[in-house]
């Protein structure tokens, strides 16, 4: 059975204030939980006004308090900005508050503007990523080892369960890294790069660990679904405009703004070149494309990114996807 999950970026939208965007994210978590979605992850981005999520830990605590069953987590924590010890403390506390429901997805990206990265790491040398992964595993599973530089140190509070640790990536290097550390791996196909090689490297090179005894993969796809293909393509117009003129617009535009935008010839050519990155269509078309990707990547869980301006249409998209995939 294919599991479906959600990745939420908290896009600022034309005509909306921040508190409205955050409230919609909360309602979406509750709604997708009611539809049977498995996880609800939130991203971390800095210094980019169009994104409202700068602190996944805060959003996770809030969303978990407003839901009851769905797993809530980070997609992901950009660990180069932080001490692995502090990340472990944060997520152990979250796990203590919501046992068995917390995911810790981590990435090596800076997740934002260069100036924001400098401000986050002022007068601090950014740590080595593989060392941070080892440290996180050591803190979360209480096995730093006698020769570790912080041997004997514990991440408090002590809890009986462990947050699920996932490594996020969009390249073969990230797949090999996840395999080396023996952790579950989520490939961000919606970034635009194909990940067959990354997933192959992950599965073929996987080394069992205290985190996982066998490889466990997931892919993140951008999907927009409506009752008809025509309606889905109109909904997708908002994100298409955002990708071509986001700097000028400063928010995810409404469908009306997007459909009436005077694209240049060069912008139209760019959109055409990017059209293969997204899955847009009616339920049957979306199901076919999702199943095609599942076959390529050989995974049993798909995380859905669905940037739609109209909230009711967005909820409808997630509902139609869930219903279509229930037939698998």
């Amino acid at each position: 059975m294919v599991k479906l999950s959600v990745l939420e970026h908290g896009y600022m939208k034309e005509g909306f204030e921040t508190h409205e965007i955050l409230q919609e994210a909360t309602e979406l978590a509750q709604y997708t939980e009611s539809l049977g979605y498995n996880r609800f992850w939130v991203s971390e981005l800095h210094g980019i006004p169009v994104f409202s999520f700068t602190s996944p830990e805060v959003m996770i605590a809030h969303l978990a308090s407003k839901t009851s069953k769905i797993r809530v987590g980070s997609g992901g924590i950009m660990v180069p900005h932080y001490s692995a010890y502090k990340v472990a403390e944060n997520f152990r506390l979250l796990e203590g508050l919501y046992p068995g429901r917390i995911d810790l997805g981590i990435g090596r990206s800076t997740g934002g503007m260069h100036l924001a990265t400098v401000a986050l790491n002022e007068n601090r040398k950014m740590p080595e990523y593989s060392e941070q992964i080892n440290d996180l595993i050591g803190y979360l599973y209480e096995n730093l080892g006698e020769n570790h530089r912080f041997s004997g140190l514990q991440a408090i509070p002590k809890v009986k369960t462990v947050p699920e640790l996932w490594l996020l990536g969009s390249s073969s290097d990230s797949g090999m890294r996840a395999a080396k550390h023996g952790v579950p791996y989520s490939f961000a196909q919606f970034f635009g790069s194909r990940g067959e090689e990354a997933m192959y490297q992950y599965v073929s090179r996987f080394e069992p660990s205290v985190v996982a005894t066998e490889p466990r993969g997931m892919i993140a796809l951008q999907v927009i679904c409506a009752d008809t293909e025509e309606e889905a393509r109109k909904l997708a117009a908002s994100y298409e405009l955002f990708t071509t003129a986001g700097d000028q617009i400063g928010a995810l535009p409404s469908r009306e703004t997007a459909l009436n935008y005077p694209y240049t010839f060069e912008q139209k050519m760019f959109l055409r070149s990017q059209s293969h990155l997204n899955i847009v269509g009616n339920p049957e078309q979306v199901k076919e494309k999702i199943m095609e990707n599942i076959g390529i990547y050989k995974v049993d869980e798909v995380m859905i990114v669905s940037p739609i301006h109209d909230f009711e249409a967005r909820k409808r998209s997630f509902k139609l996807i869930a219903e279509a995939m229930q037939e698998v």
Side-chain angles (χ1 to χ4, degrees), residues 225-289:
C225 189
D227 292 281
T228 67
E229 180 182 2
E230 180 183 10
E231 176 64 12
R233 296 207 173 277
K234 288 180 180 178
L235 295 175
S238 294
Y239 188 75
E240 289 175 345
L241 178 54
F242 175 76
T243 61
T244 55
D247 290 343
Q248 293 92 338
I249 297 171
L252 185 68
S254 67
R255 171 167 56 177
E256 291 72 22
T257 296
L259 292 175
N260 291 296
Y261 186 79
Y263 283 104
T264 65
F265 175 78
E266 290 76 14
Q267 287 174 327
K268 289 179 181 179
M269 290 300 98
F270 172 76
L271 280 179
R272 185 174 298 177
S273 71
Q274 299 296 299
S275 61
H276 67 285
L277 302 179
N278 307 319
I279 298 175
V280 180
N282 62 41
E284 195 58 37
Q285 292 169 320
V286 162
K287 174 184 173 182
E288 180 181 350
K289 286 294 185 180

Side-chain angles (χ1 to χ4, degrees), residues 26-37:
T26 305
E27 292 181 22
L28 186 64
Q30 294 169 329
Y31 184 68
T32 51
E33 177 180 65
S34 74
L35 295 174
Y37 279 75

Side-chain angles (χ1 to χ4, degrees), residues 128-148:
E128 204 279 319
Y129 188 41
S130 286
E131 183 178 74
Q132 285 192 297
I133 298 172
N134 283 330
D135 287 350
L136 271 173
I137 294 172
Y139 293 131
L140 293 175
Y141 288 85
E142 300 184 1
N143 65 347
L144 283 180
E146 294 181 359
N147 296 324
H148 192 277

Side-chain angles (χ1 to χ4, degrees), residues 47-258:
I48 308 175
V50 74
F51 295 108
S52 57
F53 295 164
T54 53
S55 177
E57 303 93 332
V58 173
M59 282 303 300
I60 290 168
H62 171 72
L63 295 173
S65 74
K66 299 295 183 179
T67 53
S68 59
K69 296 179 296 183
I70 196 168
R71 298 190 66 90
V72 186
S74 56
I77 297 294
M78 300 297 102
V79 293
H81 293 312
Y82 312 113
S83 154
Y85 182 61
K86 183 57 177 175
V87 174
E89 284 186 322
N90 284 340
F91 278 80
R92 274 202 147 187
L93 181 55
L94 287 167
E95 183 69 19
L97 288 166
Y98 307 102
R101 293 184 56 209
I102 302 300
D103 294 338
L104 170 53
I106 62 171
R108 68 181 301 180
S109 168
T110 56
M113 302 295 287
H114 174 70
L115 194 60
T117 298
V118 174
L120 284 165
N121 295 276
E122 191 172 14
N123 301 320
R124 172 178 172 268
K125 180 181 178 181
M126 294 182 78
E128 204 279 319
Y129 188 41
S130 286
E131 183 178 74
Q132 285 192 297
I133 298 172
N134 283 330
D135 287 350
L136 271 173
I137 294 172
Y139 293 131
L140 293 175
Y141 288 85
E142 300 184 1
N143 65 347
L144 283 180
E146 294 181 359
N147 296 324
H148 192 277
R149 64 195 185 285
F150 299 130
S151 180
L153 179 63
Q154 291 187 330
I156 304 300
K158 291 181 66 68
V159 288
K160 292 183 179 180
T161 54
V162 180
E164 275 194 17
L165 179 62
W166 288 77
L167 193 146
L168 318 182
S170 58
S171 67
S172 295
D173 178 70
S174 61
M176 289 187 285
R177 193 182 301 274
K180 176 183 177 182
H181 293 282
V183 298
Y185 177 55
S186 180
F187 184 84
Q189 197 274 340
F190 69 94
F191 278 177
S193 55
R194 297 298 302 180
E196 296 96 322
E197 179 64 19
M199 197 61 72
Y200 171 78
Q201 293 294 342
Y202 170 63
V203 173
S204 63
R205 293 170 178 255
F206 185 84
E207 300 177 19
S209 73
V210 66
V211 180
T213 57
E214 57 186 23
R216 185 179 175 193
M218 173 167 57
I219 53 171
L221 304 173
Q222 185 153 291
V223 185
I224 293 177
C225 189
D227 292 281
T228 67
E229 180 182 2
E230 180 183 10
E231 176 64 12
R233 296 207 173 277
K234 288 180 180 178
L235 295 175
S238 294
Y239 188 75
E240 289 175 345
L241 178 54
F242 175 76
T243 61
T244 55
D247 290 343
Q248 293 92 338
I249 297 171
L252 185 68
S254 67
R255 171 167 56 177
E256 291 72 22
T257 296

